[in-house]
Amino acid sequence: MTNWEEKYQTGDTPWNKNEPSPGLVDFLAARPGLARGAVLVPGCGFGYDAHVWANAGFSTLGLDLAPSAVAAASSLYKGQAGLRFEVRDFLADEPVESSDWLFEHTLFCAIDPNQRDSYVRAAAKRVRPGGHLLAVHYFIPDTEGPPFGTDRNEVVSRFSPWFDLLEDWVPRSYPNRTGLERMFWWQRK
Ligand SMILES: C[S@@+](CC[C@H](N)C(=O)[O-])C[C@H]1O[C@@H](n2cnc3c(N)ncnc32)[C@H](O)[C@@H]1O
């Protein structure tokens, strides 16, 4: 199992881009009329994506397993209205409040593939009926991770029992991930 806290403590965070997901930035910019609501960002890391949601007027909760990530994100965005961070295990089977939106960015590919059933169950539990899941998936072939690869067939078959697919597309991305990401916009059944 990956020791995420140790990675933050030793500065071993190669996924970190010091900026939010370009696909998320474009998604929100293109849809200024989306109804505002509560957003959950699991595996939020340093919190750049959570900050984008909060800045757009969504009440945002970033979760991460690693206390050092939550401490860094809380310090970086101290005072930002509508944004908070908590140390929590997204996969833990605990009673949860459900959100209007859940945003996924490099958490699905970070967890061990044998935890993917738990991930989908957690996502389904966390999004209210009619709410939305917006995901940026990483389409790489790697089986030795993290990151662990996936593909469109796996994503569609895993999430379809719980969510209706509204749209999927190749987003603008970071230079070293161009063409390797695909975004999925789902609505909870
Ligand atoms: C690859 S990093 C991505 C961070 C951030 N989403 C980004 O794109 O910069 C994966 C993150 O998920 C967190 N994580 C891993 N398993 C988790 C779990 N079960 N619950 C919550 N966070 C988790 C790790 O601590 C790490 O911050």
Side-chain angles (χ1 to χ4, degrees):
M1 276 294 184
T2 308
N3 185 336
W4 294 100
E5 174 59 15
E6 184 178 83
K7 284 183 168 293
Y8 281 98
Q9 285 190 13
T10 57
D12 178 21
T13 55
W15 61 84
N16 177 36
K17 304 292 187 196
N18 290 310
E19 60 170 297
S21 156
L24 170 62
V25 171
D26 292 352
F27 178 85
L28 289 176
R31 296 168 183 80
L34 283 179
R36 269 41 186 169
V39 186
L40 189 68
V41 183
C44 63
F46 291 111
Y48 311 115
D49 298 325
H51 177 245
V52 168
W53 283 100
N55 230 12
F58 293 82
S59 169
T60 307
L61 173 60
L63 303 183
D64 206 287
L65 201 58
S68 293
V70 168
S74 304
S75 154
L76 193 58
Y77 296 113
K78 196 170 171 203
Q80 165 78 46
L83 178 58
R84 66 202 165 92
F85 296 96
E86 289 180 11
V87 178
R88 295 224 315 241
D89 181 349
F90 180 62
L91 305 180
D93 194 16
E94 57 186 26
V96 287
E97 68 286 5
S98 56
S99 293
D100 301 304
W101 287 82
L102 189 147
F103 178 65
E104 147 71 40
H105 179 208
T106 54
L107 176 59
F108 186 84
C109 69
I111 60 170
D112 195 284
N114 68 24
Q115 295 182 302
R116 286 180 177 174
D117 285 346
S118 307
Y119 179 102
V120 174
R121 274 199 306 273
K125 222 159 78 172
R126 297 275 193 162
V127 180
R128 67 161 173 81
H132 296 265
L133 165 63
L134 182 68
V136 185
H137 284 288
Y138 197 24
F139 285 0
I140 49 173
D142 307 37
T143 52
E144 300 293 320
F148 298 97
T150 186
D151 59 25
R152 189 176 185 280
N153 283 344
E154 182 186 8
V155 169
V156 169
S157 75
R158 282 191 180 277
F159 289 88
S160 292
W162 302 95
F163 296 90
D164 292 320
L165 184 57
L166 300 180
E167 262 181 76
D168 64 307
W169 65 96
V170 176
R172 182 169 66 87
S173 191
Y174 308 109
N176 73 341
R177 291 189 200 161
T178 298
L180 297 177
E181 291 184 326
R182 191 164 189 92
M183 285 186 76
F184 291 79
W185 183 12
W186 301 91
Q187 185 162 34
R188 179 79 167 89
K189 294 181 184 197

